[in-house]
Coordinates of all heavy atoms in Angstrom, one line a residue:
Chain N
P1087 N 126.6 196.7 9.6 CA 125.3 196.2 9.5 C 124.4 196.5 10.7 O 123.2 196.7 10.6 CB 125.5 194.7 9.3 CG 126.9 194.4 9.7 CD 127.7 195.7 9.5
A1088 N 125.1 196.5 11.9 CA 124.4 196.8 13.1 C 123.9 198.2 13.1 O 122.7 198.5 13.5 CB 125.2 196.5 14.4
G1089 N 124.7 199.1 12.6 CA 124.3 200.5 12.5 C 123.2 200.7 11.6 O 122.2 201.5 11.8
A1090 N 123.2 199.9 10.5 CA 122.1 200.0 9.5 C 120.8 199.5 10.1 O 119.7 200.1 9.9 CB 122.5 199.2 8.2
A1091 N 120.9 198.4 10.8 CA 119.7 197.9 11.4 C 119.1 198.9 12.4 O 117.8 199.1 12.4 CB 120.0 196.5 12.1
M1092 N 119.9 199.5 13.2 CA 119.4 200.5 14.2 C 119.0 201.7 13.5 O 118.0 202.4 13.9 CB 120.5 200.7 15.2 CG 120.5 199.6 16.2 SD 121.8 199.9 17.5 CE 123.1 198.8 16.9
G1093 N 119.6 202.1 12.4 CA 119.2 203.3 11.6 C 117.8 203.1 11.0 O 117.0 204.0 11.0
L1094 N 117.6 201.8 10.6 CA 116.3 201.5 10.0 C 115.2 201.6 11.1 O 114.2 202.2 10.8 CB 116.4 200.1 9.4 CG 115.3 199.7 8.4 CD1 115.4 200.6 7.2 CD2 115.6 198.2 8.0
A1095 N 115.5 201.1 12.2 CA 114.6 201.1 13.3 C 114.3 202.6 13.7 O 113.2 203.0 14.0 CB 115.1 200.3 14.5
S1096 N 115.4 203.4 13.8 CA 115.2 204.8 14.2 C 114.4 205.5 13.1 O 113.6 206.4 13.5 CB 116.6 205.4 14.3 OG 116.5 206.8 14.6
G1097 N 114.7 205.2 11.9 CA 114.0 205.9 10.8 C 112.5 205.6 10.8 O 111.6 206.4 10.6
L1098 N 112.2 204.3 11.2 CA 110.8 203.9 11.3 C 110.1 204.6 12.5 O 109.0 205.1 12.5 CB 110.6 202.4 11.5 CG 111.0 201.5 10.3 CD1 111.0 200.1 10.7 CD2 110.0 201.8 9.2
G1099 N 110.9 204.7 13.6 CA 110.3 205.3 14.9 C 110.1 206.8 14.8 O 109.2 207.3 15.5
Q1100 N 110.7 207.4 13.9 CA 110.6 208.9 13.8 C 109.1 209.3 13.4 O 108.7 210.4 13.6 CB 111.6 209.5 12.8 CG 111.2 209.2 11.4 CD 112.1 209.9 10.4 OE1 112.5 211.0 10.6 NE2 112.5 209.2 9.3
R1101 N 108.5 208.3 12.8 CA 107.1 208.6 12.3 C 106.1 208.5 13.5 O 105.0 208.9 13.3 CB 106.7 207.6 11.2 CG 107.5 207.8 10.0 CD 107.2 206.7 9.0 NE 108.2 206.7 7.9 CZ 108.3 207.6 6.9 NH1 107.3 208.5 6.8 NH2 109.2 207.5 6.0
L1102 N 106.5 207.9 14.6 CA 105.6 207.7 15.7 C 105.8 208.9 16.7 O 106.9 209.1 17.1 CB 105.9 206.4 16.3 CG 105.8 205.2 15.4 CD1 106.3 203.9 16.0 CD2 104.3 205.0 14.9
P1103 N 104.7 209.5 17.1 CA 104.8 210.8 17.8 C 105.4 210.7 19.2 O 105.8 211.7 19.8 CB 103.4 211.3 17.8 CG 102.6 210.1 17.6 CD 103.3 209.2 16.8
W1104 N 105.3 209.5 19.8 CA 105.7 209.5 21.2 C 107.1 209.0 21.5 O 107.5 208.7 22.6 CB 104.7 208.6 22.0 CG 104.6 207.2 21.4 CD1 105.3 206.1 21.7 CD2 103.6 206.8 20.4 NE1 104.9 205.0 21.0 CE2 103.9 205.4 20.2 CE3 102.6 207.4 19.7 CZ2 103.1 204.7 19.3 CZ3 101.9 206.7 18.8 CH2 102.2 205.3 18.6
F1105 N 107.9 208.9 20.4 CA 109.3 208.4 20.6 C 110.3 209.6 20.5 O 110.1 210.5 19.8 CB 109.7 207.4 19.5 CG 108.9 206.1 19.6 CD1 108.8 205.2 18.6 CD2 108.4 205.7 20.9 CE1 108.1 204.0 18.7 CE2 107.7 204.5 21.0 CZ 107.6 203.6 19.9
A1106 N 111.3 209.5 21.4 CA 112.3 210.6 21.5 C 113.3 210.6 20.4 O 113.8 209.6 20.0 CB 113.0 210.5 22.9
R1107 N 113.6 211.8 19.9 CA 114.6 212.0 18.9 C 115.2 213.4 19.0 O 114.7 214.2 19.7 CB 114.0 211.9 17.4 CG 113.5 210.6 17.0 CD 114.6 209.6 16.8 NE 114.0 208.3 16.3 CZ 113.5 207.4 17.0 NH1 113.4 207.5 18.3 NH2 113.0 206.3 16.5

Side-chain angles (χ1 to χ4, degrees):
Chain N
M1092 283 178 259
L1094 199 58
S1096 176
L1098 292 172
Q1100 71 174 323
R1101 296 173 191 281
L1102 304 169
W1104 54 89
F1105 291 159
R1107 292 290 184 277

